[in-house]
Amino acid sequence: MAVKTIPLRIDMRGDTQIENVTKQVQDAVATSNLKAGVATVFVKHTTAAMMIIEDEPGIRADTRAFWDRAVPADPNWQHNMRNAGEDNGHSHLRGQLQGPSVTIPFSNGAMLLGTWQQIVLVDFDTRARTRELIIQIMGE
């Protein structure tokens, strides 16, 4: 089984910004010269996460509202209190809950996403950062 690893860097603003990376992942799969297998997209940061969503403005707004309600910013999170100058305890917790990766099967060089499914990076941090993603493609 062949394995191809492609790094990807994306500048993000934080504050639950959502960035669609479906095209970059599909391009990586298409140029891998593999016909069938799986593609994993992994973000190398603890304050960001990967998701598969229906990427439209209403879901983007609902996603942000959900995270703001489920895990609100709070100066009393222990991460903030024990690390001088930190204000992103909620960002770490959101990343833990959502998770750092998604895996998508592909066949005939194309991802097998559903009609409305899109791959997105969500940046939960409190400031802008450049995010590093790894697209790893395994197959034949």
Side-chain angles (χ1 to χ4, degrees), residues 10 12-21 41 43-53 55 59-60 63-68 91-92 94-96 98-102 118-125 131 133:
I10 300 176
M12 300 290 284
R13 297 182 312 273
D15 198 27
T16 316
Q17 177 191 351
I18 297 173
E19 186 68 26
N20 193 316
V21 297
V41 186
V43 61
K44 295 173 60 174
H45 304 275
T46 59
T47 57
M50 300 305 304
M51 290 188 211
I52 294 178
I53 66 170
D55 189 13
I59 290 296
R60 282 183 176 227
T63 298
R64 182 178 174 142
F66 168 79
W67 285 113
D68 287 347
S91 306
H92 289 280
R94 291 174 183 185
Q96 290 171 7
Q98 183 57 49
S101 65
V102 294
Q118 298 285 298
I119 306 163
V120 298
L121 166 64
V122 184
D123 189 341
F124 296 119
D125 215 335
R131 298 305 190 163
L133 279 65

Side-chain angles (χ1 to χ4, degrees), residues 7 28 38:
V38 293

Side-chain angles (χ1 to χ4, degrees), residues 45-49 67 71 77-80 83 86-99 123-126 129 131:
H45 304 275
T46 59
T47 57
W67 285 113
V71 185
W77 288 117
Q78 288 295 303
H79 174 75
N80 300 339
N83 297 281
E86 292 289 341
D87 65 351
N88 66 352
H90 67 290
S91 306
H92 289 280
L93 295 170
R94 291 174 183 185
Q96 290 171 7
L97 287 171
Q98 183 57 49
D123 189 341
F124 296 119
D125 215 335
T126 56
R129 296 180 184 269
R131 298 305 190 163

Side-chain angles (χ1 to χ4, degrees), residues 26 29 35-40 52 102-107 109-113 117 138:
Q26 179 56 55
V29 168
K35 295 301 174 200
V38 293
T40 298
I52 294 178
V102 294
T103 300
I104 305 97
F106 67 92
S107 182
M111 292 188 296
L112 298 174
L113 291 169
Q117 290 181 313
M138 296 181 284

